[in-house]
Amino acid sequence: MDIQTDTPQEILEAVIIRFVGDSGDGMQLTGTQFSDTSAMFGNDVATFPNYPAEIRAPQGSLYGVSGYQVHIGSVEISTPGDEVDLLVAMNPAGLKTNLHAVKPGHTIIVDTDAFTKKNLEKAQYETNPLEDNSLENYRVIEVAMTSLTKEALKDVQGLDNKAITRSKNMFALGMVYWMYHRSTEHTIEFFQKKFRNKPELIEANTKVLNAGYFFAETLELIPNAYTISPAKMPAGTYRIIMGNTATAWGFLAAAEKSGMELFLGSYPITPASDILHELVKHKHFGVKTLQAEDEIAGITSAIGASFAGDLAITTTSGPGLALKGEALGLAMMIELPLVVVDVQRGGPSTGLPTKTEQSDLLQAMYGRNGESPVIVIAASTPANCFNFAYQAAKLTLEHMTPVILLTDGYIANGSAPWKIQTVDDMPEIKNMKLTEAKEDYMPYERDKDSLARYWAVPGTPGLEHRVGGLEKDKISGNVSYVPENHEYMTRIRAEKVKRVQNYIPTQKVEFAQSGDLLVIGWGGTYGSLHTAVKHLHEEGFKNIGLAHFHYLNPLPANTEEVLSHFKKIVVCELNTGQFVKVLKSHFGKYEFLQYNKIQGLPFSNNELKEKFKQILS
Amino acid sequence: METAVQEYTYKDFASDQEVRWCPGCDDYVILRSVQKALPEIGVKKENIVFISGIGCSSRFPYYMNTYGMHGIHGRATAIASGVKLANPKLSVWVITGDGDSMAIGGNHFIHVLRRNLDLNIILFNNEIYGLTKGQFSPTSLVGQKTKSSPYGNTQPPFSAGELALGAQARFFARIGGNTPKEMTDIFIASEKYKGTALVEVLQNCPIFNDGCFAKYTDKAVREDRQLFVEHGKPMIFGKVRDKGLVLKGLRLEVATIGENGIEESDILVHDAKEQDPTLHQMLVRLEYPMVTGIIRSFEDVTFEEREDALTIQVKSNSSFRKTNDLFFSGDTYDIK
C-alpha cells in the first residue's frame, strides 16, 4: 500500500511501543510483525516479549497479561527500552499492569469494547479508568476495536465468531502501522504464507489490518503521524533474529566450518527449549538431536557423541545445569570437547522461569565436585549469540575441555537485526583429531602450547584406548592413584584452561579509556549499560568508560590493566554480586563498587544513569 | 593399518591392565566370555566400544583392548546412546550392574529399552552393592541382611527381566555366571540382534552375597532348577529331561513327561520372536525353574533406522544444503 498523507509528521529518533493483552490475544505476533516491518524499513530494533508462565491463564486476569515491547529507531538501539511512548492495551488487565511503564503525557490506545463490567472486575478496577479521570496525564485513544473488527468482517464467509474476535489484534497493528508510517505489505505477505490453505483467513486478516490502518488515518483523535527515519547501520543483508535462534545457528556454522557433525542432547526447559526446537529442524544439515529422558541424559549422550567424534552440545537453564554438574566434571576429566549452553533465568530452585537473571555465573565457574575448571563465556546481545556459540564450539574443539556458554532469557527471547554472517566470514576451527594410527599413541599426550590432548575417535585403527572419570596417568591415561600424578593432573587441567587467555581477544573499553569511573558488566546487560554510559557521555560526563566482559573464565589477559586506568570501578549485575567476587579473587587490591538488581527484570536506563552520576558526584 | 577380523583370538581383546576383581568373582567369567565372543562377531576391534557406569563391573572397559569409557554412576546407557547416534557403524556395548542400571540409572535404563537403539547391554546382577561394600541393591531380596539392612531388607526387589519387558525390551536373555559357553553364545546372538539386546548375568559376588544364585546355578542342581530355553524348541529341563512347561489357564506349570498322560508334544515350544510379550513375562517371573537363555528376541525397527529414514526424507524435501541457504532464506532485507 502506498502511503499518502497530508497529515503533518513528527520526526522522532526512537520510539518504544508495548502491545499488551490476554495471553490469547496474539500480542507476541502483533509485536513481531511490527518489529520485522520496521527492521525492513531500515530501523534498528530491539524487542522483548514478556509473557506469563501460565500457558493460557484465565481470560482477563491480571496475571494472564502477555506483552511485547518493541524499540525502533533511526539511531543505534541497544535495548528494548524502559518507559514506553505508546501502550496498546487490548483489555483492562493489560492497562492496569502496564500503565506504570507509560511516559507521562504519552499515548495509550485501548479497545473500549473490552472494558466491560466483568473485565474491569477481573482487573480489580473499582471504577472504569476510561471514565474516572485517572488517565488524565495521558493521551488516551479510545477505539471500539472489537466492534470495528466485526463490522469489517461482516461480508467475509466461513468465519466463526471466535476467529473474528481473534483478529482484532490486526486492527491495532494496522493503526500503529499508520501512526509510524509503516507499510502493511510485509504483514499481508506473512498472512499469505501462513494461511496458504485458508484463503478466508488471508482475506479476513488483511481486511482487518487495512481497516485499522484507514481508521487511524481518518481518525481525528490522532493529530499527526510520526516518522522514524532509517537508522545508519553498516551496509549489508540483514534479518531479524532471536537470541536462541542465533545460538542455534552459531553451532550450525561451527559444524559446517569444522567439517564435523553436530549432536545436541537436550531436555526441554524454559527459556532454552527454542534452541532444541531450532536445531531439530535442520536434519538437512545432518544435525542429530536427542530429546533425552532428563537433563543428565542430555549431557551424557552428548559426551558419548563427543567421544565418538561429533561436535557435541547440550542446552539448558539453571536447574538443568545443576543436574548436569557431575557429567560436566566427567567431560572435563576425560578432556573431550563439549559445549553446555545455559540460558539463565531467575533462580534459585524453579525461581522465575520466564524472567531473566545472571545468577548462574558462580554455578558455571565452580558448580562441580573436585577441582573442575571449564571455559566460561557469555553472549551479550541477541545477534552476538551467533558469534559466541561459534566461539564456544571453536574453543572446545581446539582446547579439548568443556565450554559453558551463558546467555539469558532477556537476550535469548529478545530479537534484533543481525547482519548476516556467512561461514566464509568466520575464523577457522581446528580440531585435535588423530586420523590414523600413531606409533606409541598416548591418550594424554598434549599439544605443548595449548596443553590440549589429542583426540582419538572410535573407528580409527590402532588408537584403541580407554578413558574414564578415575584419575589418570599424565601420559598413558591409565588409572593412577599416584599422589604426585594427581596433583600434576589437577594443575595441568587448570593451566590448560588458563592458557586459553592466549587465544582470546583482549578486553575492550568503550567510551573513556581512562578516567573517573569504569562501568563493568558481562553478558546480557550490555545493551542497558551501553545505552546508559552513552547517554551520560552525551550529557557531558566524558570520564566514564565501559568494559563489558564476554570471557569470564579465563579472563582476558589485559583485565588488570583495564582496571588500573580508572579511579572508581562499579560492577553491574542482575544478581547479588557474582562476577564481582571473581574479580575480587583475582584483583584484590582494587575496590569494586556494585550495582545489583534481582527482580527478574533488566536494568532500566534511568536507574543506571542515576547510580553512575551518584558515584561520580 | 587395518586389522583383519578373522585373525582375532580372545587374547587380542585383553588390554595390558591387570584385572583387579576379587578372586572367584563371576566377573572374570563374563570378561573371558566377552573376549571369546568378539572374534566371532565379525567386527574389527577399532569399531568396538565398551561403555560402563560405576560399580565393580564397570571397571570392565579398562580390561578390554578396544575403545572404551568408564562413565559415571548410572549413565552408561545414555553415554552409549550418544556414541551410537554419532556413529551407528560402531558395535557398542554397555556394562552395568543392578545398582547402576536399576537404582541410580533406572531412568536411562527404561528409556534406552523403549527407544531400541542397536546396543548390547550386559547387566551384572549380583543383588548387592559390591564396590561400596555391601549395601542392599534394587534386586536384593526382602529380608536380606546387608550393611545397610542389618535387620533385613524391607524394599521389595525389581526383577530385571520384568522391568525390562515392561519398558518394551525387544531382546532379553538371562544366563548364570558360571556357564561361560552358553554365555559366549548369548553374547554373539546379542551382537547379531539388531536393536537393544539386554543380557542379565546372574553374577555371584563371593564377598558380599556369596551363593545368592546357588540354588539355580550350582552344578549339582543346575539341570533340575534351570530351564535353558531355545527358540523353536520345547521348554524341557531336568537331569533326565523329563520336566517341561505347560500352560494351565493363565499360569505356567511344570509337568512331568510320562505322568498324567503328558507327552513331549504337550510341552510348550519356546517362541522368542513373538511380538506379544505375555508369555515372555511369565517366563521371566518363574522361580522354578529359573529360565535362562534368550527369552525374548523380537525384531523391530531400531531408533537409528527411524532417525535415518526421517533424515533422508527431510533432506530430499529441503533445498538447504549449506548454512547460507538457511541464513539468507525468508525475510531478509538490505541496508545500503
Side-chain angles (χ1 to χ4, degrees):
Chain A
M1 177 187 323
D2 285 326
I3 297 161
Q4 290 175 341
T5 170
D6 300 327
T7 317
Q9 291 180 5
E10 197 178 325
I11 311 272
L12 296 175
E13 269 196 341
V15 70
I16 302 170
I17 301 167
R18 191 184 286 186
F19 299 92
V20 297
D22 251 336
S23 44
D25 275 345
M27 293 296 98
Q28 308 298 320
L29 174 70
T30 311
T32 315
Q33 282 299 310
F34 187 76
S35 67
D36 287 358
T37 294
S38 298
M40 290 185 189
F41 179 69
N43 293 136
D44 198 358
V45 307
T47 72
F48 189 64
N50 194 346
Y51 46 84
E54 293 76 16
I55 301 302
R56 283 283 179 275
Q59 218 175 6
S61 66
L62 291 171
Y63 57 89
V65 173
S66 168
Y68 194 97
Q69 184 156 318
V70 188
H71 190 178
I72 60 170
S74 58
V75 291
E76 182 189 20
I77 299 293
S78 306
T79 74
D82 307 329
E83 292 186 306
V84 307
D85 301 289
L86 171 64
L87 177 71
V88 179
M90 302 304 283
N91 68 5
L95 177 66
K96 179 135 187 185
T97 47
N98 290 278
L99 184 63
H100 66 93
V102 185
K103 291 177 190 162
H106 282 69
T107 308
I108 300 169
I109 300 178
V110 292
D111 177 9
T112 51
D113 290 330
F115 281 66
T116 59
K117 190 163 175 285
K118 199 171 148 201
N119 280 345
L120 289 165
E121 273 168 19
K122 281 189 197 160
Q124 294 165 23
Y125 273 119
E126 280 166 20
T127 56
N128 187 342
L130 303 179
E131 292 164 0
D132 64 8
N133 288 333
S134 60
L135 302 175
E136 64 180 357
N137 287 334
Y138 305 92
R139 193 154 62 99
V140 181
I141 301 175
E142 298 184 20
V143 186
M145 275 187 240
T146 311
S147 346
L148 287 163
T149 300
K150 281 183 185 158
E151 179 65 21
L153 294 178
K154 67 176 191 294
D155 298 329
V156 182
Q157 303 298 313
L159 293 176
D160 57 22
N161 204 34
K162 202 173 157 197
I164 292 172
T165 346
R166 280 186 66 143
S167 54
K168 69 181 177 204
N169 58 334
M170 289 301 118
F171 193 93
L173 182 63
M175 289 177 66
V176 180
Y177 274 162
W178 185 82
M179 288 175 71
Y180 293 98
H181 216 79
R182 295 284 176 269
S183 160
T184 54
E185 190 186 336
H186 167 74
T187 298
I188 292 169
E189 276 171 20
F190 167 81
F191 297 150
Q192 283 162 353
K193 258 185 259 166
K194 185 176 164 81
F195 304 122
R196 205 173 315 136
N197 302 317
K198 293 178 180 163
E200 72 281 4
L201 289 181
I202 300 177
E203 187 191 352
N205 280 289
T206 308
K207 272 200 161 162
V208 176
L209 183 74
N210 286 337
Y213 190 93
F214 293 130
F215 179 82
E217 190 180 12
T218 49
L219 199 67
E220 290 180 356
L221 282 171
I222 301 176
N224 47 18
Y226 301 96
T227 299
I228 315 253
S229 316
K232 288 187 200 74
M233 291 165 71
T237 304
Y238 284 76
R239 65 185 305 137
I240 299 293
I241 200 160
M242 264 179 57
N244 272 339
T245 309
T247 301
W249 288 14
F251 290 120
L252 291 178
E256 186 174 314
K257 189 78 169 192
S258 61
M260 297 178 65
E261 291 185 356
L262 182 64
F263 179 94
L264 166 69
S266 185
Y267 187 76
I269 185 168
T270 302
S273 306
D274 279 338
I275 305 173
L276 166 65
H277 302 163
E278 181 60 29
L279 285 175
V280 76
K281 287 189 220 158
H282 298 300
K283 286 185 187 294
H284 38 248
F285 299 135
V287 177
K288 291 167 252 185
T289 54
L290 175 65
Q291 180 177 317
E293 56 273 23
D294 58 25
E295 293 280 358
I296 298 170
I299 185 170
T300 47
S301 61
I303 291 171
S306 174
F307 183 65
D310 275 0
L311 167 55
I313 65 172
T314 183
T315 50
T316 191
S317 185
L321 185 63
L323 287 165
K324 292 181 196 294
E326 185 197 10
L328 188 50
L330 174 69
M332 192 266 346
M333 189 73 164
I334 60 184
E335 305 192 36
L336 281 175
L338 175 74
V339 178
V340 181
V341 181
D342 175 6
V343 184
Q344 298 170 97
R345 66 189 213 185
S349 187
T350 308
L352 304 169
T354 59
K355 308 293 176 193
T356 198
E357 206 162 274
Q358 297 183 298
S359 47
D360 290 343
L361 175 63
L362 294 181
Q363 182 183 207
M365 301 268 297
Y366 306 118
R368 290 165 293 286
N369 60 305
E371 304 246 338
S372 186
V374 299
I375 300 170
V376 182
I377 67 176
S380 62
T381 67
N384 79 15
C385 285
F386 177 85
N387 301 74
F388 286 96
Y390 187 93
Q391 180 72 341
K394 177 175 160 71
L395 289 174
T396 202
L397 290 170
E398 294 182 352
H399 296 270
M400 294 292 281
T401 196
V403 175
I404 296 180
L405 169 63
L406 295 173
T407 70
D408 60 54
Y410 185 56
I411 58 172
N413 285 317
S415 56
W418 175 54
K419 184 164 177 268
I420 300 172
Q421 287 160 283
T422 70
V423 168
D424 296 335
D425 302 334
M426 303 304 289
E428 285 304 319
I429 297 180
K430 292 177 293 200
N431 66 51
M432 300 298 290
K433 274 187 194 172
L434 297 172
T435 47
E436 51 190 49
K438 190 169 166 278
E439 198 88 11
D440 303 327
Y441 164 65
M442 289 290 153
Y444 277 73
E445 224 173 339
R446 295 166 191 282
D447 177 87
K448 64 179 174 23
D449 296 322
S450 69
L451 300 180
R453 77 176 185 97
Y454 297 97
W455 189 9
V457 169
T460 321
L463 300 182
E464 294 84 3
H465 69 286
R466 277 65 56 193
V467 293
L470 286 169
E471 185 60 280
K472 27 207 35 57
D473 176 79
K474 61 184 175 185
I475 304 291
S476 71
N478 289 331
V479 176
S480 166
Y481 284 90
V482 175
E484 294 75 18
N485 180 73
H486 176 51
E487 177 151 352
Y488 177 87
M489 289 298 276
T490 301
R491 292 188 187 284
I492 205 150
R493 287 187 288 261
E495 176 66 16
K496 179 176 64 164
V497 172
K498 187 160 180 289
R499 286 198 189 178
V500 170
Q501 234 177 28
N502 303 334
Y503 302 83
I504 58 174
T506 53
Q507 180 61 40
K508 286 192 192 62
V509 181
E510 290 181 81
F511 307 103
Q513 297 302 305
S514 62
D516 296 335
L517 178 62
L518 177 66
V519 174
I520 288 182
W522 66 274
T525 53
Y526 174 72
S528 319
L529 297 172
H530 176 85
T531 307
V533 175
K534 187 174 138 201
H535 284 178
L536 288 184
H537 258 250
E538 287 162 3
E539 288 174 29
F541 296 89
K542 301 289 186 197
N543 285 327
I544 173 168
L546 170 66
H548 198 83
F549 283 76
H550 296 100
Y551 295 90
L552 307 170
N553 194 44
L555 290 166
N558 64 332
T559 302
E560 176 153 24
E561 197 206 325
V562 166
L563 302 178
S564 70
H565 291 155
F566 290 85
K567 288 183 194 146
K568 286 182 178 173
I569 300 164
V570 60
V571 184
C572 306
E573 299 178 77
L574 299 175
N575 57 42
T576 57
Q578 299 198 2
F579 188 49
V580 75
K581 284 198 177 73
V582 175
L583 290 171
K584 280 177 182 169
S585 73
H586 287 280
F587 313 109
K589 70 173 186 184
Y590 294 89
E591 191 192 343
F592 295 95
L593 304 171
Q594 288 177 233
Y595 187 61
N596 303 93
K597 179 172 180 178
I598 315 104
Q599 300 177 7
L601 294 169
F603 288 124
S604 80
N605 191 25
N606 287 339
E607 68 187 338
L608 289 174
K609 287 198 296 194
E610 210 171 289
K611 177 72 187 175
F612 301 156
K613 280 181 186 170
Q614 185 203 325
I615 296 173
L616 285 167
S617 66
Chain B
M1 175 191 68
E2 293 212 343
T3 340
V5 172
Q6 54 272 30
E7 285 173 14
Y8 294 138
T9 70
Y10 73 91
K11 288 180 185 155
D12 291 306
F13 292 99
S15 78
D16 58 357
Q17 297 295 293
E18 186 193 348
V19 183
R20 291 189 182 181
W21 287 311
C22 308
C25 182
D26 279 352
D27 288 6
Y28 286 95
V29 182
I30 304 172
L31 178 63
R32 182 55 59 88
S33 300
V34 169
Q35 288 168 342
K36 286 197 163 167
L38 293 182
E40 311 297 324
I41 63 172
V43 180
K44 293 173 183 167
K45 69 177 181 178
E46 63 266 24
N47 291 329
I48 299 174
V49 181
F50 279 82
I51 305 285
S52 64
I54 295 290
C56 291
S57 59
S58 288
R59 296 294 181 94
F60 196 99
Y62 291 122
Y63 307 139
M64 296 295 300
N65 188 20
T66 63
Y67 284 93
M69 188 196 298
H70 181 205
I72 46 176
H73 204 10
R75 321 303 170 198
T77 39
I79 297 170
S81 299
V83 172
K84 187 71 185 180
L85 288 169
N87 185 354
K89 286 186 215 125
L90 300 172
S91 166
V92 183
W93 297 70
V94 175
I95 303 296
T96 185
D98 39 319
D100 195 60
S101 65
M102 283 178 276
I104 193 165
N107 199 25
H108 313 306
F109 183 67
I110 56 176
H111 286 277
V112 78
L113 293 170
R114 168 175 78 92
R115 290 191 193 104
N116 198 33
L117 272 97
D118 189 10
L119 300 175
N120 307 297
I121 305 176
I122 306 178
L123 165 54
F124 294 46
N125 183 8
N126 57 12
E127 301 188 346
I128 197 80
Y129 284 116
L131 194 66
T132 50
K133 300 183 178 55
Q135 300 82 5
F136 65 85
S137 90
T139 53
S140 298
L141 305 176
V142 167
Q144 191 172 325
K145 290 184 176 167
T146 71
K147 284 253 182 72
S148 56
S149 59
Y151 308 114
N153 177 26
T154 51
Q155 301 187 17
F158 272 138
S159 145
E162 216 177 336
L163 178 64
L165 296 186
Q168 300 179 41
R170 281 80 162 172
F171 183 108
F172 176 72
R174 184 195 280 149
I175 191 69
N178 59 352
T179 44
K181 193 190 160 300
E182 290 82 356
M183 202 189 296
T184 301
D185 290 343
I186 284 177
F187 292 149
I188 295 168
S190 82
E191 166 60 27
K192 298 222 158 115
Y193 173 81
K194 190 169 57 69
T196 304
L198 174 64
V199 181
E200 178 194 18
V201 182
L202 307 176
Q203 175 241 321
N204 188 46
C205 170
I207 307 298
F208 295 109
N209 204 13
D210 195 22
C212 58
F213 299 114
K215 64 177 174 179
Y216 313 113
T217 56
D218 261 8
K219 253 194 184 144
V221 299
R222 189 155 72 203
E223 285 161 300
D224 282 331
R225 308 287 304 181
Q226 254 188 64
L227 162 62
F228 187 82
V229 293
E230 290 174 88
H231 176 72
K233 295 196 178 163
M235 294 190 269
I236 294 175
F237 66 105
K239 264 201 185 85
V240 292
R241 302 198 54 77
D242 61 339
K243 303 272 192 301
L245 296 184
V246 293
L247 195 60
K248 253 208 183 146
L250 288 174
R251 304 166 73 95
L252 286 174
E253 283 193 358
V254 174
T256 307
I257 299 167
E259 282 179 15
N260 302 322
I262 296 285
E263 295 177 22
E264 191 173 324
S265 60
D266 295 320
I267 304 299
L268 284 172
V269 171
H270 180 46
D271 184 359
K273 299 184 179 176
E274 168 59 46
Q275 177 169 7
D276 184 334
T278 311
L279 202 58
H280 303 146
Q281 275 282 11
M282 293 160 84
L283 290 172
V284 300
R285 276 202 298 264
L286 277 186
E287 287 182 14
Y288 168 69
M290 169 66 74
V291 180
T292 55
I294 298 168
I295 295 171
R296 179 169 172 77
S297 176
F298 164 63
E299 293 278 345
D300 197 1
V301 185
T302 64
F303 181 61
E304 55 270 45
E305 284 171 338
R306 289 181 206 277
E307 285 286 314
D308 275 356
L310 206 55
T311 302
I312 290 166
Q313 190 194 332
V314 172
K315 274 188 178 165
S316 72
N317 291 339
S318 167
S319 57
F320 292 165
R321 292 292 171 264
K322 293 279 179 188
T323 49
N324 273 357
D325 303 331
L326 168 69
F327 296 173
F328 289 95
S329 68
D331 289 335
T332 64
Y333 57 96
D334 292 317
I335 295 210
K336 297 196 171 86

